[in-house]
Amino acid sequence: MPALIKNDVELVTIAIQQCTYAIRYASRSLRDNRRFVRSAVRNDWETLMYVSNRMRNDKQIAQIAVEQHSDSIEFCGNQVLRENPEIMNLAISSSEDHLMEDREVVTTVLREDWRLMRMME
């Protein structure tokens, strides 16, 4: 795909609105552009799979994704989850109990914030 298209915010946004996975073909610089990524994730949390690690570790972007679907936690960066346990708590509180049954997830959250125990009542 020509660089002209891969770097064009408007054209890539049109493609993403039709198919989330079109973000895979956006340029690296667009997939690392906070404004563009925030908009793409607001449109569909699954775009988080294809953005830069820096964007996966952005607190606001991670929160937008987790508010849409708890499964997005899988694609959030480890750094943002370590530094912001409230994002993991949000994912757990909005999930269909499958995250609460995942020992690794629960252990990670409890290490950061004991208040998860209250949610288990």
Side-chain angles (χ1 to χ4, degrees):
M1 183 183 309
L4 176 69
I5 296 171
K6 293 172 88 166
N7 287 308
D8 189 299
V9 172
E10 184 180 358
L11 295 177
V12 174
T13 300
I14 290 169
I16 291 171
Q17 288 171 344
Q18 293 177 44
C19 177
T20 298
Y21 303 108
I23 195 170
R24 292 181 296 185
Y25 304 105
S27 68
R28 286 184 185 191
S29 63
L30 270 186
R31 288 182 283 138
D32 192 51
N33 178 297
R34 190 169 192 274
R35 177 181 281 162
F36 172 77
V37 169
R38 191 173 54 227
S39 175
V41 171
R42 273 197 183 108
N43 185 54
D44 188 334
W45 67 269
E46 290 181 299
T47 58
L48 191 61
M49 287 185 260
Y50 302 105
V51 302
S52 70
N53 285 333
R54 188 172 77 91
M55 292 295 99
R56 287 179 181 211
N57 281 297
D58 183 283
K59 180 181 178 181
Q60 184 182 29
I61 291 169
Q63 190 164 352
I64 290 167
V66 170
E67 286 172 353
Q68 287 183 44
H69 202 288
S70 60
D71 287 351
S72 65
I73 202 78
E74 180 181 345
F75 305 106
C76 293
N78 291 331
Q79 178 184 347
V80 76
L81 297 177
R82 271 194 311 273
E83 294 173 1
N84 303 281
E86 67 273 13
I87 293 174
M88 183 72 88
N89 290 341
L90 176 63
I92 290 172
S93 67
S94 66
S95 74
E96 313 84 35
D97 297 326
H98 72 278
L99 283 178
M100 293 295 275
E101 295 171 7
D102 185 324
R103 182 174 173 76
E104 184 179 342
V105 169
V106 172
T107 301
T108 300
V109 174
L110 283 174
R111 284 192 175 126
E112 298 298 327
D113 191 346
W114 67 271
R115 292 175 290 210
L116 173 66
M117 295 299 290
R118 282 191 265 181
M119 296 168 51
M120 292 186 198
E121 291 186 317

